[in-house]
Amino acid sequence: AKAQGRGAWCFYAEEMTQAARERLTLESRLRRALQQGQLVLHYQPQIDIATGRIVGAEALVRWLDPDEGLISPARFIPLAEVSGLIEPLGAWVLAEACRQGQAWRAAGLPEITLAVNVSPRQLRQSDLPAAVAQALAQSGFSAAQLELEITESALAENHEHALRILHELRALGVQLAIDDFGTGYSSLVQLKRYPIQVLKIDQGFVRDIPHNKDDMAISAAIVAMGHSMGLRVLAEGVETAEQLEFLRAQGCDRYQGYLRSRPVPAAEFEDLLRAEAPH
Ligand code: C2E
Ligand code: CA
Ligand code: CA
Ligand code: CA
């Protein structure tokens, strides 16, 4: 039994080493990708439900690997988060989104808000407001058109620190959204204290509309609660006309989802935006 135990341990250790090695390889490849400009932002339209018009976009990062092709953020964002790479990566995302937003403004395209994801680790840094101010100053993009998405769970992690950072960000004039709302554990008391403008209903609650009555009740409650607090509510992951109709009936303000468009490269998003402009 002892020998078997030891063998099992060796096997386990070997597996660990291999997983650690793979992680390291991926990490150094990602570091290089960042330096060599192999990251790109795709943009997913955010639609005003009442008018059907594009009023914003969420910037979502992709890794364009010369060998593997497009790598999903689900594969590298968690790694970037634990390795600390998320800080330079997040700074690049902010700078690139602001640069692109300003280029669209300069081209006379309809004014939209650009939403950028902020990771828990970025929120923990005290210099996040300075980094945002720098991205705005360097690009000339307007603070009021920049929206920062922070997950509900990141806010709960270190509540007092997070609250201070949110106030500093808000003082810059940017808009603040709680991402994946409904999956964390903010109390209503906490929610009331956040200087936020937007709640994003997590796509997990939207997915099974109109079949899951609990999810429908939760989505409706988030819209009502958000409105009672003076917030705008956006539903994510809207894939069907039925889902959109249900959300419209609840008075939900905006949506994002495959029903209208997947996240697309900047040039393609620009075409969508151009088609919106009055002819
Ligand atoms: P998220 O912030 O919740 O972004 C929404 C995700 O839902 C995106 O996945 C988007 O492509 C996907 N999505 C949009 N509409 C639909 C739909 O109708 N149906 C379904 N099934 N999915 C939809 P994506 O682009 O793969 O990003 C995954 C996650 O990676 C994001 O989740 C976010 O947590 C993270 N991420 C992406 N870009 C960044 C970034 O620049 N910085 C940070 N910190 N995280 C990022
Ligand atoms: Ca997001
Ligand atoms: Ca989300
Ligand atoms: Ca998510």
Side-chain angles (χ1 to χ4, degrees), residues 179-180 202 236:
D179 200 359
D180 300 347
D202 188 71
E236 291 192 283

PDB file of all heavy atoms in Angstrom, residues 179-180 202 236, ligand 3:
ATOM      1  N   ASP A 179     -20.640  44.440 -13.644  1.00  0.00           N
ATOM      2  CA  ASP A 179     -20.718  43.348 -14.615  1.00  0.00           C
ATOM      3  C   ASP A 179     -21.174  42.077 -13.899  1.00  0.00           C
ATOM      4  O   ASP A 179     -20.960  41.927 -12.700  1.00  0.00           O
ATOM      5  CB  ASP A 179     -19.315  43.139 -15.206  1.00  0.00           C
ATOM      6  CG  ASP A 179     -19.331  42.410 -16.539  1.00  0.00           C
ATOM      7  OD1 ASP A 179     -20.420  42.045 -17.020  1.00  0.00           O
ATOM      8  OD2 ASP A 179     -18.242  42.204 -17.100  1.00  0.00           O
ATOM      9  N   ASP A 180     -21.768  41.163 -14.669  1.00  0.00           N
ATOM     10  CA  ASP A 180     -22.198  39.865 -14.140  1.00  0.00           C
ATOM     11  C   ASP A 180     -23.068  40.050 -12.902  1.00  0.00           C
ATOM     12  O   ASP A 180     -22.945  39.301 -11.929  1.00  0.00           O
ATOM     13  CB  ASP A 180     -20.985  38.991 -13.787  1.00  0.00           C
ATOM     14  CG  ASP A 180     -20.094  38.724 -14.994  1.00  0.00           C
ATOM     15  OD1 ASP A 180     -20.533  38.987 -16.126  1.00  0.00           O
ATOM     16  OD2 ASP A 180     -18.965  38.238 -14.806  1.00  0.00           O
ATOM     17  N   ASP A 202     -26.325  39.419 -15.617  1.00  0.00           N
ATOM     18  CA  ASP A 202     -25.473  38.328 -16.089  1.00  0.00           C
ATOM     19  C   ASP A 202     -26.206  37.474 -17.119  1.00  0.00           C
ATOM     20  O   ASP A 202     -27.403  37.200 -16.988  1.00  0.00           O
ATOM     21  CB  ASP A 202     -25.041  37.467 -14.908  1.00  0.00           C
ATOM     22  CG  ASP A 202     -24.006  36.436 -15.344  1.00  0.00           C
ATOM     23  OD1 ASP A 202     -22.868  36.847 -15.623  1.00  0.00           O
ATOM     24  OD2 ASP A 202     -24.351  35.242 -15.442  1.00  0.00           O
ATOM     25  N   GLU A 236     -27.192  41.085 -20.798  1.00  0.00           N
ATOM     26  CA  GLU A 236     -26.149  40.467 -21.640  1.00  0.00           C
ATOM     27  C   GLU A 236     -26.620  39.133 -22.176  1.00  0.00           C
ATOM     28  O   GLU A 236     -27.469  38.477 -21.578  1.00  0.00           O
ATOM     29  CB  GLU A 236     -24.928  40.126 -20.796  1.00  0.00           C
ATOM     30  CG  GLU A 236     -24.141  41.245 -20.269  1.00  0.00           C
ATOM     31  CD  GLU A 236     -22.828  40.697 -19.712  1.00  0.00           C
ATOM     32  OE1 GLU A 236     -22.809  40.128 -18.611  1.00  0.00           O
ATOM     33  OE2 GLU A 236     -21.823  40.839 -20.408  1.00  0.00           O
TER      34      GLU A 236
HETATM   35 CA    CA B   3     -20.584  40.005 -18.125  1.00  0.00          CA
END
